[in-house]
Amino acid sequence: MSRSAAVCFHHVIKKYGDLSALKGITFDVEEGAFFGLLGPNGAGKSTLINAMSGLVIPTSGRIEIQGFDVQKDYRQTRRLLGLVPQELIADPFFSIRELLDLQSGYFGLTGVKQKAWVGELLERLALSDKSDANTGQLSGGMKRRVLIAMALVHRPKVLVLDEPTAGVDVDLRRTLWDFTKELHQQGHTIILTTHYLEEAEALCDKVAIMQQGEVKALDSTQALLSKHLYRYLRVTLGGAVNHLIAPLQERLVEKDLNGLVFKLEKTASLTQLLAWLHESQLEVVDVSSRDASLEEVFLDLTAEGSADAK
Ligand code: ADP
């Protein structure tokens, strides 16, 4: 049975003058997904996210959140969505608690239950100690956590995180990963943009790779990895490399003290590779093979895209 969609993009186009930031984006994010929106700078990720939250008005097309139209049913969709932007824009003299209370008030949420929820958020995001501190005095990492708390005050079903771990230290990255995983397990749909491909590989069950306003690939992370046409072979050598014959040279991607790494078509035979190594008079000690990482798949896909654009 197919799961229902948390977010549907229907042929979303956004033009800025002559520039098409989004060229007709159509896809669904299933309810309960942990979805990664990836792409190089300028691909259109922020425009798409901002269109979801009503901050950018598409030139044409429409976006639905749990069946509600972002334009027509703005109130409903605003309640269903929590957006964690990259920067905290707030009066630096407000304390964290005041900010969260204000945000609750914006949604008309007051009372004991809401106070308890805000307290829980502060606790969970390790902000309780600082809840009375002015936001202007907080470290970058703390500000990031405040942004997450603000996005969660109204318990949105869909949480959108824009580069949540950009510029944060390893510890905080871990904490944020664990926290978002927990939210996902509790049933939230998570949409995340990230530059860290290993982050997407570790967290996301589905990813869309965007480039120049288009979706280049959209699949489960596993399928993207397994459908990829290449694998990587590390050849450990017993001696120095004096000469590599052309087919090996073409496929060489890395060379270090212990040996060489080749990028090989999955259909290519290992016997052939060994024959080429033999022809190059190399002493092979060991050969190990691995599938491409999401970063390598991403680089291949986006390199094809920029070649198409030329
Ligand atoms: P990403 O988030 O993937 O880096 P963006 O959505 O920020 O990409 O940008 C997509 C394209 O739209 C870029 O070429 C960018 O310069 C352009 N763009 C984004 N916002 C505006 C704007 N307000 N005015 C004009 N061009 C914009």
Side-chain angles (χ1 to χ4, degrees), residues 24-275:
I25 302 289
T26 300
F27 69 88
D28 291 354
V29 176
E30 284 168 1
E31 210 171 305
F34 202 131
F35 193 93
L37 200 53
L38 315 176
N41 279 336
K45 305 178 298 291
S46 304
T47 308
L48 196 64
I49 280 186
N50 289 333
M52 261 174 85
S53 47
L55 298 171
V56 159
I57 311 290
T59 309
S60 64
R62 94 197 130 79
I63 303 171
E64 281 169 15
I65 298 173
Q66 313 244 213
F68 292 102
D69 188 297
V70 168
Q71 306 280 314
K72 291 190 203 123
D73 313 311
Y74 182 72
R75 275 173 172 274
Q76 284 94 330
T77 58
R78 185 69 193 82
R79 274 182 179 269
L80 288 165
L81 196 80
L83 174 69
V84 183
Q86 291 186 24
E87 296 284 337
L88 178 65
I89 302 165
D91 187 326
F93 295 109
F94 278 130
S95 72
I96 300 178
R97 196 182 288 276
E98 281 167 340
L99 264 189
L100 296 180
D101 287 346
L102 268 177
Q103 188 76 359
S104 303
Y106 174 77
F107 287 102
L109 300 166
T110 48
V112 184
K113 260 191 173 169
Q114 183 62 14
K115 281 234 171 312
W117 173 236
V118 166
E120 194 180 324
L121 281 174
L122 288 167
E123 193 69 36
R124 293 272 303 284
L125 285 157
L127 290 167
S128 301
D129 292 352
K130 294 267 179 189
S131 62
D132 294 322
N134 289 348
T135 49
Q137 299 166 350
L138 301 176
S139 68
M142 286 247 178
K143 283 187 183 153
R144 200 59 66 102
R145 282 184 264 157
V146 172
L147 284 169
I148 296 180
M150 284 174 74
L152 289 171
V153 289
H154 58 298
R155 303 171 190 254
K157 292 212 157 154
V158 182
L159 185 68
V160 183
L161 300 121
D162 193 6
E163 296 279 351
T165 55
V168 309
D169 64 25
V170 179
D171 270 356
L172 181 58
R173 183 174 300 180
R174 267 287 139 215
T175 312
L176 295 179
W177 280 24
D178 289 346
F179 189 60
T180 35
K181 272 197 230 169
E182 220 179 297
L183 291 168
H184 179 236
Q185 274 158 12
Q186 287 166 5
H188 289 269
T189 303
I190 312 270
I191 301 178
L192 156 93
T193 75
T194 180
H195 267 85
Y196 300 104
L197 276 293
E198 57 181 301
E199 177 163 286
E201 192 169 344
L203 296 174
C204 302
D205 42 42
K206 210 158 185 181
V207 296
I209 297 182
M210 287 183 68
Q211 187 175 34
Q212 292 167 347
E214 291 174 307
V215 174
K216 257 326 260 177
L218 189 152
D219 218 326
S220 74
T221 314
Q222 268 321 309
L224 262 187
L225 295 174
S226 62
K227 274 195 216 159
H228 194 56
L229 299 176
Y230 299 96
R231 63 180 160 158
Y232 289 78
L233 280 117
R234 165 166 281 280
V235 179
T236 310
L237 297 172
V241 182
N242 296 317
H243 168 71
L244 276 184
I245 61 166
L248 286 183
Q249 195 65 54
E250 281 162 22
R251 292 170 173 81
L252 181 70
V253 289
E254 206 183 309
K255 186 174 178 179
D256 58 31
L257 283 177
N258 297 319
L260 308 168
V261 179
F262 297 100
K263 179 179 169 185
L264 213 66
E265 300 79 5
K266 275 186 183 155
T267 49
S269 86
L270 209 54
T271 318
Q272 175 69 79
L273 178 84
L274 289 171

